[in-house]
Structure formats: structure tokens, C-alpha cells
Amino acid sequence: MEREKRIMLACPPTNINEMLAGMGVPEFVPTVEHTLTQCADCGTDMWVGPNQRAAAMRAPRATLVLYMACALIEQQKRGGGPVGHLGGVGGRPRLPS
């Protein structure tokens, strides 16, 4: 499938809490169901949630798993458009390392 037709799955980087420190947003806490992967474009380490992982596994040629910033760049190249959310927030948090 052509890249511009693939569904983008935007994922948070592993350092998202450092990036958002002091901005008043709730801390991102990956669950035990989250796995680590790398952005298809830039190689940034990022968290993939269970819903994103399931979508990517069901249709690997129809999805594009990207770091949030790369997804915004890709969205701009495509002329904008809506951003969806696959839900979550129901899992058991990981223990701090």
C-alpha cells in the first residue's frame, strides 16, 4: 500500500515526561501491556500501546507506526486531516525503574 494511504499510529517517545515537564499535563505511565519499538521514520524509541500494536498486527501493510513528531510531519505532508485515538488508560502501570 502506498505510504500516503497508510493509517498512522502516533506513539509517545520513552522520554515524553521529560519533554512535557512543567507544562501541567498528567504524567504518562506506560502499562505492562505497552511495548517498546522504534519509529519507522527516525528510529526514536517509543511506547506502543496494546490497541496500537493490535491494529498494526492486523494490518501491517496498512499502518505506519511513528513517533508523535514524525506523525505530525507526515500529517502535514498529507495536507492535514483528523487525528484519531485508539483509547487505552485501562492497564496496570509499570513499576518505576
Short mmCIF file of all heavy atoms in Angstrom, two decimals, residues 1 5-9 40 52 55-65:
data_model
loop_
_atom_site.label_atom_id
_atom_site.label_comp_id
_atom_site.label_asym_id
_atom_site.label_seq_id
_atom_site.Cartn_x
_atom_site.Cartn_y
_atom_site.Cartn_z
N MET A 1 0.85 -1.18 0.00
CA MET A 1 0.00 0.00 0.00
C MET A 1 0.89 1.24 0.00
O MET A 1 1.93 1.26 0.66
CB MET A 1 -0.90 -0.02 1.25
CG MET A 1 -1.75 1.23 1.38
SD MET A 1 -2.86 1.21 2.78
CE MET A 1 -4.14 0.17 2.15
N LYS A 5 -1.40 6.49 1.94
CA LYS A 5 -2.72 5.90 2.23
C LYS A 5 -2.71 5.06 3.50
O LYS A 5 -3.76 4.60 3.94
CB LYS A 5 -3.18 5.06 1.05
CG LYS A 5 -3.48 5.88 -0.18
CD LYS A 5 -4.02 5.04 -1.29
CE LYS A 5 -4.32 5.92 -2.51
NZ LYS A 5 -4.85 5.15 -3.62
N ARG A 6 -1.52 4.86 4.07
CA ARG A 6 -1.43 4.04 5.28
C ARG A 6 -1.94 4.82 6.50
O ARG A 6 -1.81 6.03 6.58
CB ARG A 6 0.02 3.60 5.50
CG ARG A 6 0.47 2.65 4.41
CD ARG A 6 1.93 2.37 4.45
NE ARG A 6 2.27 1.54 5.58
CZ ARG A 6 3.53 1.19 5.87
NH1 ARG A 6 4.53 1.59 5.11
NH2 ARG A 6 3.77 0.44 6.91
N ILE A 7 -2.54 4.13 7.42
CA ILE A 7 -3.04 4.73 8.66
C ILE A 7 -1.86 4.95 9.60
O ILE A 7 -1.07 4.03 9.84
CB ILE A 7 -4.08 3.81 9.32
CG1 ILE A 7 -5.28 3.65 8.40
CG2 ILE A 7 -4.49 4.33 10.68
CD1 ILE A 7 -6.23 2.55 8.81
N MET A 8 -1.75 6.17 10.11
CA MET A 8 -0.66 6.49 11.03
C MET A 8 -1.05 6.16 12.46
O MET A 8 -2.15 6.49 12.90
CB MET A 8 -0.31 7.97 10.94
CG MET A 8 0.34 8.37 9.66
SD MET A 8 0.80 10.11 9.67
CE MET A 8 -0.80 10.90 9.67
N LEU A 9 -0.15 5.52 13.17
CA LEU A 9 -0.30 5.25 14.59
C LEU A 9 0.80 6.04 15.30
O LEU A 9 1.96 5.67 15.25
CB LEU A 9 -0.18 3.75 14.87
CG LEU A 9 -1.19 2.85 14.14
CD1 LEU A 9 -0.86 1.39 14.38
CD2 LEU A 9 -2.61 3.17 14.57
N ALA A 40 9.28 4.19 12.59
CA ALA A 40 9.61 3.74 11.24
C ALA A 40 10.41 4.78 10.47
O ALA A 40 11.14 4.44 9.55
CB ALA A 40 8.33 3.40 10.48
N GLN A 52 -2.74 -0.05 19.69
CA GLN A 52 -1.93 0.29 18.52
C GLN A 52 -1.23 -0.95 17.99
O GLN A 52 -1.20 -1.18 16.78
CB GLN A 52 -0.91 1.36 18.88
CG GLN A 52 -1.53 2.70 19.21
CD GLN A 52 -0.53 3.60 19.90
OE1 GLN A 52 0.19 3.18 20.81
NE2 GLN A 52 -0.49 4.84 19.48
N ALA A 55 -3.69 -3.15 16.16
CA ALA A 55 -4.03 -2.60 14.84
C ALA A 55 -2.90 -2.84 13.86
O ALA A 55 -3.14 -3.23 12.70
CB ALA A 55 -4.33 -1.10 14.96
N ALA A 56 -1.68 -2.62 14.28
CA ALA A 56 -0.52 -2.81 13.41
C ALA A 56 -0.34 -4.28 13.02
O ALA A 56 0.04 -4.58 11.90
CB ALA A 56 0.74 -2.28 14.08
N MET A 57 -0.65 -5.17 13.95
CA MET A 57 -0.51 -6.60 13.66
C MET A 57 -1.61 -7.10 12.72
O MET A 57 -1.37 -7.96 11.89
CB MET A 57 -0.50 -7.40 14.96
CG MET A 57 0.79 -7.22 15.75
SD MET A 57 0.77 -7.99 17.38
CE MET A 57 0.44 -9.68 17.00
N ARG A 58 -2.81 -6.53 12.86
CA ARG A 58 -3.92 -6.94 11.98
C ARG A 58 -3.70 -6.51 10.54
O ARG A 58 -4.11 -7.19 9.61
CB ARG A 58 -5.24 -6.36 12.48
CG ARG A 58 -5.88 -7.13 13.61
CD ARG A 58 -7.31 -6.70 13.87
NE ARG A 58 -7.48 -5.30 14.13
CZ ARG A 58 -7.45 -4.74 15.35
NH1 ARG A 58 -7.23 -5.47 16.41
NH2 ARG A 58 -7.62 -3.45 15.49
N ALA A 59 -3.08 -5.34 10.38
CA ALA A 59 -2.90 -4.80 9.02
C ALA A 59 -1.52 -4.16 8.90
O ALA A 59 -1.41 -2.95 8.77
CB ALA A 59 -4.00 -3.78 8.73
N PRO A 60 -0.45 -4.95 8.92
CA PRO A 60 0.90 -4.39 8.91
C PRO A 60 1.22 -3.54 7.69
O PRO A 60 1.97 -2.58 7.79
CB PRO A 60 1.82 -5.61 9.01
CG PRO A 60 0.99 -6.77 8.61
CD PRO A 60 -0.44 -6.41 8.92
N ARG A 61 0.66 -3.86 6.53
CA ARG A 61 0.95 -3.08 5.33
C ARG A 61 0.07 -1.84 5.20
O ARG A 61 0.30 -1.00 4.35
CB ARG A 61 0.81 -3.95 4.08
CG ARG A 61 1.97 -4.93 3.97
CD ARG A 61 1.91 -5.71 2.66
NE ARG A 61 2.20 -7.10 2.98
CZ ARG A 61 1.37 -8.11 2.83
NH1 ARG A 61 0.18 -7.92 2.32
NH2 ARG A 61 1.71 -9.32 3.16
N ALA A 62 -0.95 -1.74 6.07
CA ALA A 62 -1.87 -0.60 6.01
C ALA A 62 -1.62 0.40 7.12
O ALA A 62 -2.29 1.42 7.19
CB ALA A 62 -3.31 -1.10 6.08
N THR A 63 -0.66 0.12 8.00
CA THR A 63 -0.38 1.02 9.12
C THR A 63 1.06 1.52 9.06
O THR A 63 1.93 0.88 8.47
CB THR A 63 -0.62 0.33 10.48
OG1 THR A 63 0.15 -0.86 10.53
CG2 THR A 63 -2.08 0.01 10.69
N LEU A 64 1.28 2.65 9.70
CA LEU A 64 2.59 3.28 9.76
C LEU A 64 2.79 3.70 11.21
O LEU A 64 2.12 4.61 11.69
CB LEU A 64 2.63 4.48 8.82
CG LEU A 64 3.94 5.19 8.57
CD1 LEU A 64 4.99 4.22 8.03
CD2 LEU A 64 3.73 6.34 7.59
N VAL A 65 3.67 3.02 11.94
CA VAL A 65 3.89 3.28 13.36
C VAL A 65 4.99 4.32 13.50
O VAL A 65 6.15 4.07 13.16
CB VAL A 65 4.24 1.98 14.12
CG1 VAL A 65 4.42 2.24 15.60
CG2 VAL A 65 3.17 0.92 13.89
#
